[in-house]
Amino acid sequence: MTVSPPAYFRQLSGTRFEATEATAGAWNPAEQHIAPVIGLLAHLLEQDHAQRGGALRLASLSCDILGVLPLGEFDVEVSVIRPGRTIELVEAVLTSNGRTGVRARAWLLQTSDTAALAGTSFPDMPQLDSTPEYPFGTTWNGECVNTIEARRDFLGTGRARSWIRTDTTLIEGTEVSEQARLIGMLDFANGLVPRVDPLEIGFPNIDLNVSFFRAPAGDWLGLDSTVSFGPDAVGLTESIVHDACGPVGTLTQTLTIRA
């Protein structure tokens, strides 16, 4: 008998979901890691657009993380902020125990053939096979980090190039796009390049913003990341985002440093 891989979420109704133990967070195992949540919200925004007959592509996603999310059940509502045939702004709001936990807005853009103009000056990532395996789960607590297979080219304090993937499905019994699945791993960028021991000093992110000039695809997500701490308890993680074919966009996470 084939055993299905675990899932981060179960869908209980059109708007209600349950977070499984696979989402258990790195700062507190009783709370959800935000990475799969962001992938779920991206999927729901894509799904809502497709169900309305749209054919636009998610080009950017901005997420405000308004508080911690306990394991268990929560609700998501999707709405259209700015409708359009070529450009659309949509929003997904997650509520848990009557409180808004995450608010995500995405710009969806019309696509056409611009292959003759395509190009970028972002540097390439190291080859996957030549990147050393990285025991991600030994640095952090929580089951969610243990769902990730990681390889990392360490370049110095707060600087690394990493490849990650997961066999854990986003939603039990539900097919999602490759882009939504990869978006569901973006938030691991901050944890892959800690400047300090995360068991001694906290540096959670309060947002996540990603822009794609090309839709990512495949199993592996590449993150060329730099983490910076300022002198007054504010930090920043910046990453160039890659898939197996090269760069696809950029990612930022604003950090609050809890020394």
Side-chain angles (χ1 to χ4, degrees):
M1 181 178 65
T2 301
V3 178
S4 299
Y8 292 117
F9 303 103
R10 301 185 185 95
Q11 185 162 7
L12 306 179
S13 72
T15 60
R16 194 161 184 81
F17 298 83
E18 180 184 23
T20 72
E21 291 293 331
T23 67
W27 301 111
N28 184 345
E31 300 165 356
Q32 295 183 51
H33 197 296
I34 203 67
V37 170
I38 292 174
L40 172 67
L41 298 182
H43 163 72
L44 295 175
L45 291 168
E46 288 181 341
Q47 184 183 58
D48 174 78
H49 181 72
Q51 289 175 345
R52 290 185 283 106
L56 308 181
R57 176 171 75 77
L58 190 154
S60 74
L61 182 69
S62 299
C63 301
D64 293 316
I65 304 164
L66 305 179
V68 298
L69 302 176
L71 300 183
E73 297 183 13
F74 59 90
D75 295 282
V76 180
E77 294 286 347
V78 176
S79 59
V80 179
I81 305 300
R82 190 273 196 195
R85 289 176 295 179
T86 61
I87 298 175
E88 187 169 88
L89 178 64
V90 291
E91 181 179 65
V93 178
L94 183 154
T95 57
S96 174
N97 297 326
R99 178 180 57 81
T100 301
V102 184
R103 187 180 299 272
R105 286 192 172 189
W107 283 103
L108 307 173
L109 304 183
Q110 183 183 51
T111 61
S112 61
D113 185 0
T114 57
L117 305 175
T120 179
S121 298
F122 286 133
D124 291 332
M125 286 278 288
Q127 292 296 311
L128 178 64
D129 292 344
S130 64
T131 306
E133 294 183 2
Y134 176 58
F136 199 15
T138 64
T139 306
W140 293 90
N141 296 318
E143 181 57 30
C144 195
V145 173
N146 289 322
T147 67
I148 296 298
E149 178 184 352
R151 294 174 175 269
R152 192 182 74 167
D153 176 24
F154 180 72
L155 301 175
T157 302
R159 184 79 180 92
R161 298 179 294 183
S162 309
W163 288 104
I164 56 175
R165 70 173 177 181
T166 182
D167 290 331
T168 305
T169 58
L170 194 59
I171 309 169
E172 187 176 78
T174 301
E175 185 175 345
V176 305
S177 72
E178 291 184 336
Q179 177 164 272
R181 182 173 51 77
L182 291 173
I183 287 173
M185 294 190 289
L186 287 173
D187 192 71
F188 291 114
N190 182 42
L192 285 162
V193 201
R195 293 191 64 87
V196 293
D197 186 342
L199 301 180
E200 296 180 0
I201 296 177
F203 45 94
N205 54 302
I206 50 85
D207 65 7
L208 182 146
N209 302 284
V210 62
S211 295
F212 296 111
F213 60 84
R214 177 171 64 80
D219 293 330
W220 288 93
L221 178 71
L223 297 163
D224 184 345
S225 302
T226 301
V227 178
S228 303
F229 285 0
D232 56 356
V234 178
L236 175 67
T237 297
E238 295 182 290
S239 303
I240 303 169
V241 183
H242 297 247
D243 65 10
C245 296
V248 298
T250 60
L251 167 70
T252 63
Q253 298 161 281
T254 307
L255 316 179
T256 174
I257 304 168
R258 307 293 177 85

